[in-house]
Amino acid sequence: MATWDEFRSSNAGARFTDWLRAQAGDIWDSVVGHPFTDQLAAATVDKDAMRRYLIQDHRFLDAFVVLLSSAISKMQCLEDRIPGCQFLALITGRENTYFERSFEALGVTAEDRATVPDAPVATSLIGVMRSAAASGELAQMLAVLVVAEWSYLSWGERVLPQRPSEPFWCYEWIDLHSGEGFQGVVAYLRGLLDKEVAALSAQDVARCQETFLETVRLEKAFFDMALGTSA
């Protein structure tokens, strides 16, 4: 597999995020084409699987907010910060409301949300997010954010043509991760990381790659957990 220096020297206009995506290889494809996403689009996902997925996904919302806020604080100018702040408002507004409505519709009680143990993969994702935020390094934060949002855009756009009309907890999750608005979020995050690489040492590039690949692996494991095929 080509190093970043080799990749950019042999590809005119090479993007750092394209190289990172290429490094992820088949594991990235297994996230984008995961059976869980197909079941969402077909509205055949088991309700127990959806409850499990949403409870665990909501567990790391706080860590995600800390991560995104930390990244915004490390950006260089207001122009870079404004789209991040707008995305943060979406996460804490429309997306969080989706969770609350879905919990009610799926019969997830406050007790369930408080007492269901964290899945090991959720604990690992929270750890990656908090570690990146605590690092104080924008590239580390963006590596996690780019995986989280770009992988979701990729599967969201893939299944969009099959988007169901009901139930809302299937089609609205697809809507949140597809379309022009979310495409803009991903383009923004990728652009920031592509720009940031110019200031990175070879060691920093290797650490960014490691964080990116670990986050991809955990995204795959998270979908597996929802379907009950892993921890």
Side-chain angles (χ1 to χ4, degrees):
M1 190 73 70
T3 66
W4 166 234
D5 284 341
E6 291 167 343
F7 184 82
R8 66 179 174 174
S9 66
S10 60
N11 294 273
R15 299 184 63 174
F16 184 50
T17 51
D18 282 332
W19 175 73
L20 290 170
R21 156 68 185 85
Q23 297 297 303
D26 290 345
I27 190 72
W28 178 278
D29 295 336
S30 68
V31 174
V32 175
H34 199 279
F36 182 81
T37 65
D38 291 325
Q39 291 176 26
L40 272 177
T44 57
V45 62
D46 183 79
K47 286 186 177 181
D48 284 341
M50 196 66 186
R51 293 185 191 101
R52 186 162 50 244
Y53 174 84
L54 290 177
I55 289 172
Q56 298 297 330
D57 197 284
H58 195 256
R59 291 279 170 82
F60 53 75
L61 188 61
D62 181 64
F64 186 90
V65 168
V66 170
L67 174 61
L68 181 55
S69 300
S70 299
I72 291 167
S73 76
K74 291 295 181 180
M75 293 172 191
Q76 297 300 310
C77 61
L78 182 62
E79 182 180 2
D80 285 347
R81 291 190 178 101
I82 286 175
C85 292
Q86 292 170 335
F87 182 46
L88 184 61
L90 175 72
I91 294 294
T92 56
R94 181 183 169 196
E95 184 163 318
N96 189 60
T97 300
Y98 162 85
F99 277 106
E100 299 294 341
R101 291 169 51 237
S102 297
F103 286 142
E104 182 176 0
L106 289 164
V108 177
T109 66
E111 182 179 2
D112 293 332
R113 293 167 61 180
T115 61
V116 171
D118 288 348
V121 66
T123 300
S124 295
L125 274 166
I126 290 169
V128 166
M129 291 179 190
R130 294 204 181 278
S131 177
S135 74
E137 299 173 25
L138 182 57
Q140 285 291 303
M141 302 176 204
L142 289 170
V144 179
L145 290 167
V146 167
V147 171
E149 305 314 316
W150 192 12
S151 67
Y152 266 56
L153 173 67
S154 298
W155 73 252
E157 292 289 328
R158 183 182 68 81
V159 304
L160 186 60
Q162 290 79 47
R163 172 189 177 278
S165 57
E166 294 292 344
F168 79 85
W169 38 264
C170 285
Y171 73 76
E172 286 190 19
W173 196 237
I174 296 170
D175 289 348
L176 281 165
H177 298 103
S178 60
E180 185 177 354
F182 195 54
Q183 290 169 10
V185 169
V186 172
Y188 158 72
L189 293 171
R190 288 187 63 197
L192 289 172
L193 186 51
D194 289 336
K195 182 171 63 175
E196 189 68 13
V197 71
L200 301 183
S201 67
Q203 183 179 14
D204 292 333
V205 168
R207 291 176 57 246
C208 190
Q209 177 189 6
E210 181 180 357
T211 298
F212 187 97
L213 296 178
E214 174 65 5
T215 308
V216 175
R217 185 189 69 78
L218 290 172
E219 291 288 3
K220 160 66 162 57
F222 196 83
F223 281 149
D224 290 344
M225 175 277 301
L227 293 184
T229 58
S230 77

